[in-house]
Amino acid sequence: LDRRGEQLAGNAAAFGLELVPAYLPKERADREPIYALAGSLTERPVDEVRQLVTDQGLRSLDPVLLLDHLEHETALLLKVQVGDTPGLRVVNRPERRYAKAPGLAHLLGYTGKIAPEELNRSATYSLASRTGKTGLEQTYESLLRGTPGVDQVEVDSTGYLKRTEAASEPMAGDTLVTSLDLPLQRKLGE
């Protein structure tokens, strides 16, 4: 927020299509139709989808992001097409939206897909996380981020999911109030 309470940046509803390797069937032959469906929904070759899962590891609970920045209508259509397909899910992936004013982008910064070296920074990050890359977004990342929801799961001796034991709800991040004045920033740009 600026000093008058006007929003400088905020989250807007957006959705993504993810594939969670650990939720896929154990048998390769049973996974192939899922790879084919994921390929057709994302307009990717089946081999590419299979390779993304292989790279992630078949026992991984970290999702492979197949599509991002989806509008609500598109997400609803995908949800119907995905149905109860094991491993595929349509998820809420909020996007950052920024106020427009000259010079503001340099101060606010932006968020982007997490880099591999950033994954070790905190246990709350996953391969699907977005982090602050520059400006206030990067400086105040730990405060703005909040806490994601977590599912505690039980797996069998081979690492495959058996059931969900417990779940915790996500917590929103803090609101940052700056000394910026949005109307003044806009006026300066005229």
Side-chain angles (χ1 to χ4, degrees):
L1 301 177
D2 77 350
R3 67 183 185 170
R4 298 173 188 217
E6 289 193 49
Q7 190 172 43
L8 298 171
N11 291 332
F15 302 89
L17 177 65
E18 295 179 343
L19 194 153
V20 182
Y23 296 164
L24 290 171
K26 292 180 184 180
E27 298 298 321
R28 181 184 181 130
D30 296 335
R31 291 192 302 266
E32 288 303 314
I34 298 170
Y35 295 152
L37 175 61
S40 70
L41 293 174
T42 61
E43 298 179 357
R44 294 180 187 209
V46 174
D47 291 338
E48 182 182 333
V49 174
R50 188 183 307 107
Q51 189 61 48
L52 287 169
V53 172
T54 303
D55 291 348
Q56 183 88 354
L58 281 172
R59 296 180 182 152
S60 176
L61 288 167
D62 278 332
V64 175
L65 183 62
L66 299 173
L67 291 174
D68 204 6
H69 311 291
L70 300 173
E71 296 294 327
H72 186 256
E73 295 78 22
T74 306
L76 287 175
L77 289 172
L78 275 175
K79 199 162 187 86
V80 169
Q81 291 173 311
V82 166
D84 292 334
T85 305
L88 279 175
R89 64 186 185 188
V90 176
V91 295
N92 184 15
R93 293 187 48 83
E95 293 180 331
R96 297 294 278 170
R97 300 271 169 91
Y98 300 96
K100 291 183 170 77
L104 205 52
H106 299 294
L107 295 168
L108 297 179
Y110 68 96
T111 61
K113 187 175 178 183
I114 192 165
E117 59 273 8
E118 293 176 299
L119 276 172
N120 298 330
R121 204 187 305 166
S122 170
T124 61
Y125 291 127
S126 74
L127 290 173
S129 295
R130 299 183 68 76
T131 61
K133 298 297 183 184
T134 63
L136 295 174
E137 291 281 12
Q138 181 182 34
T139 303
Y140 293 99
E141 164 72 20
S142 61
L143 296 173
L144 296 170
R145 178 166 176 70
T147 307
V150 176
D151 290 336
Q152 183 179 354
V153 297
E154 180 182 337
V155 295
D156 63 18
S157 61
T158 60
Y160 286 97
L161 178 71
K162 284 178 70 177
R163 67 177 177 209
T164 301
E165 294 282 329
S168 66
E169 293 297 316
M171 303 249 325
D174 292 332
T175 299
L176 179 65
V177 180
T178 67
S179 61
L180 296 171
D181 187 326
L182 186 56
L184 180 59
Q185 283 292 128
R186 289 184 173 136
K187 189 72 173 166
L188 289 172
E190 291 179 359

